[in-house]
Amino acid sequence: MVLVDSNIIIYGIHPDYQSVRDYLAQQEIAVSDITFIEVLGFHALTEKDEKKLKQLFSVCHRYGLDAKVIEQAINLRQQKKISLGDTIIAATALEHELLLVTANEEDFDWIADLKIHNPVTS
C-alpha cells in the first residue's frame, strides 16, 4: 500500500498525466483524511472533477488522525517549518510505514525514514 499526496490525486485526473494513472492503477492506494479535505475542499472544483475525484477516493483506504499520527506530526513540526497538511501526510506515512507518493519531494526529503516516490518524474 502507498500513501498518495494531494498533488498526485490531482495529477491523476489530469489528461496529460497518463503515466501517473498507470502507476496508481498498479498500487493499493491510501490517503490521509487531510488529502481528502484538501482535494475535495478546493474552492474552484468543477462538478466534473469532483465526480472523478470522488470515484478515485472511493477505491482508496483513508487514514484518519489518531494519537500516534498526532505525536509524529508534533515531532516533525518541532524539527522544521512545514505546513500542517504536509506534516500530517508525512506523519501518517511514517506511522503506518507507507511509501509516500508525491510530486513535491523537496517538501519531504529532509524527513529521516520517510520513503518517497515521484511518479511524475520517474
Side-chain angles (χ1 to χ4, degrees), residues 3 11 16-17 19 26 30 35 40 48 50 52 54 57 59 64 68 70 74 88 90 101-102 104 106-107 116 122:
L3 187 72
Y11 280 118
D16 293 340
Y17 291 94
S19 62
Q26 298 173 22
T35 293
L40 291 177
K48 181 180 175 183
E50 182 177 3
K52 288 180 191 177
K54 284 182 175 179
F57 281 126
V59 299
K68 289 181 179 183
I70 291 169
I74 290 168
I88 293 170
V101 180
T102 183
N104 295 338
E106 64 281 353
D107 292 345
I116 300 170
S122 55

Side-chain angles (χ1 to χ4, degrees), residues 10-24:
I10 294 165
Y11 280 118
I13 66 162
H14 194 281
D16 293 340
Y17 291 94
Q18 182 63 46
S19 62
V20 172
R21 285 190 296 284
D22 293 344
Y23 173 81
L24 292 175

Side-chain angles (χ1 to χ4, degrees), residues 3-122:
L3 187 72
V4 179
D5 194 3
S6 306
N7 55 61
I8 297 299
I9 296 292
I10 294 165
Y11 280 118
I13 66 162
H14 194 281
D16 293 340
Y17 291 94
Q18 182 63 46
S19 62
V20 172
R21 285 190 296 284
D22 293 344
Y23 173 81
L24 292 175
Q26 298 173 22
Q27 306 301 319
E28 186 177 352
I29 303 170
V31 294
S32 167
D33 277 346
I34 293 300
T35 293
F36 191 75
I37 293 167
E38 284 180 338
V39 171
L40 291 177
F42 179 59
H43 71 281
L45 190 63
T46 67
E47 251 183 72
K48 181 180 175 183
D49 285 346
E50 182 177 3
K51 184 177 179 179
K52 288 180 191 177
L53 291 165
K54 284 182 175 179
Q55 184 177 20
L56 179 56
F57 281 126
S58 73
V59 299
C60 297
H61 177 81
R62 280 184 35 204
Y63 285 100
L65 282 175
D66 62 28
K68 289 181 179 183
V69 169
I70 291 169
E71 189 63 36
Q72 185 73 256
I74 290 168
N75 180 45
L76 291 172
R77 285 181 64 102
Q78 288 174 341
Q79 293 177 50
K80 184 176 177 177
K81 184 176 180 178
I82 181 174
S83 75
L84 183 59
D86 285 351
T87 303
I88 293 170
I89 290 167
T92 301
L94 287 168
E95 190 57 41
H96 297 283
E97 299 178 352
L98 300 171
L99 173 69
L100 177 60
V101 180
T102 183
N104 295 338
E105 296 166 272
E106 64 281 353
D107 292 345
F108 301 101
D109 61 4
W110 60 274
I111 302 172
D113 300 323
L114 182 62
K115 297 177 192 105
I116 300 170
H117 175 68
N118 183 345
V120 176
T121 60
S122 55

